[in-house]
Amino acid sequence: QSENVLGYFVNVERIPNSCSHPPNNITLKDREILVNISMAYYRINISAYNEAGESPPATYIVPEFSVTDLPGQIHAKRQGTNAVVTWTPEYNPKCFVVDWGTGKEDMQMKIITTATRNFTLDNFKPYKSYKIMVHASDVCQCESFIGHEKTFGVTDFYFLEGVPRTGPTNVTILNITKHSALVKWTKIAAEDRLGFLQGYRISYTDSSRKK
């Protein structure tokens, strides 16, 4: 029905947005738009309109980017009930915008305007995987960060690690020969790891259980 469409409303909203700034609203005729955003989560709503009114919106969450080419590396370390974040190399933008949380539905945001080499984050729970993102921004007041914010570094963090809750599943043994066999299994789900998974231990014996 695109021949009946006069244009589109595009709504770009940062997740989270502690400034409670209204989303960026864009009106356009084309079916394509280029938006400069950081590696934070973003919610995009697109609706069409014509002389009769506006359609329901299509909603899209910008997926996670692969961390390949970032200017700096950030480090998180547990200290008491908080986490202290530092970074290398030394970097002093106008301000930092920090996101931390377990996922797009559970993120917190903090704007840091002071010249500092580290900062402290709170509200961590044990055995949960957190993502910490540090963005550099040339905008430091509560306004839209879209187009002003560039991601400096991303790291994963466990405030407190535990033993994996479950073991590997779906263990199969394939390509069995006189001298070899291929062992495969399904990796442990992220919510059951309770920490950074470092590896697996495989034990095996012969049929007489002597070797």
Side-chain angles (χ1 to χ4, degrees):
Q1 301 295 319
S2 58
E3 66 272 11
N4 298 321
V5 172
L6 297 177
Y8 300 89
F9 295 125
V10 180
N11 178 301
V12 183
E13 181 182 9
R14 191 189 193 280
I15 308 172
N17 186 359
S18 63
C19 299
S20 300
H21 188 275
N24 280 42
N25 293 304
I26 304 162
T27 304
L28 68 160
K29 303 290 185 183
D30 299 325
R31 288 187 294 125
E32 181 177 298
I33 184 172
L34 178 64
V35 183
N36 291 319
I37 56 176
S38 68
M39 291 174 66
Y41 293 106
Y42 288 86
R43 181 185 293 108
I44 298 176
N45 292 321
I46 305 171
S47 59
Y49 68 90
N50 59 15
E51 293 177 350
E54 182 180 350
S55 75
T59 300
Y60 182 78
I61 303 292
V62 176
E64 293 186 23
F65 297 92
S66 58
V67 181
T68 54
D69 186 21
L70 294 174
Q73 179 63 48
I74 66 173
H75 309 274
K77 184 172 66 174
R78 178 184 172 188
Q79 189 174 86
T81 58
N82 301 320
V84 175
V85 178
T86 58
W87 59 88
T88 57
E90 293 183 14
Y91 191 60
N92 293 305
K94 192 171 181 182
C95 62
F96 287 106
V97 183
V98 188
D99 295 329
W100 74 104
T102 58
K104 57 181 176 290
E105 303 300 331
D106 175 41
M107 296 295 288
Q108 299 182 69
M109 173 183 167
K110 189 175 187 178
I111 302 172
I112 299 172
T113 57
T114 56
T116 179
R117 296 187 179 186
N118 62 65
F119 38 82
T120 301
L121 305 178
D122 54 13
N123 286 338
F124 289 98
K125 295 179 181 178
Y127 317 132
K128 286 186 174 289
S129 175
Y130 287 87
K131 183 177 292 293
I132 301 174
M133 294 183 276
V134 179
H135 318 279
S137 179
D138 58 3
V139 168
C140 301
Q141 293 77 34
C142 268
E143 53 184 290
S144 174
F145 290 101
I146 296 172
H148 298 278
E149 179 183 74
K150 294 182 179 180
T151 302
F152 173 70
V154 178
T155 191
D156 294 310
F157 174 70
Y158 279 93
F159 179 74
L160 182 65
E161 294 189 71
V163 176
R165 184 183 287 122
T166 63
T169 58
N170 299 325
V171 178
T172 56
I173 303 175
L174 309 169
N175 300 348
I176 300 172
T177 72
K178 185 176 181 180
H179 300 290
S180 67
L182 175 63
V183 183
K184 300 178 72 174
W185 58 87
T186 300
K187 64 182 181 180
I188 299 172
E191 61 270 18
D192 291 327
R193 293 175 196 166
L194 307 186
F196 292 113
L197 199 61
Q198 296 182 351
Y200 298 90
R201 181 181 291 115
I202 302 174
S203 303
Y204 60 100
T205 63
D206 68 357
S207 58
S208 66
R209 297 188 177 276
K210 292 180 180 178
K211 297 181 181 180

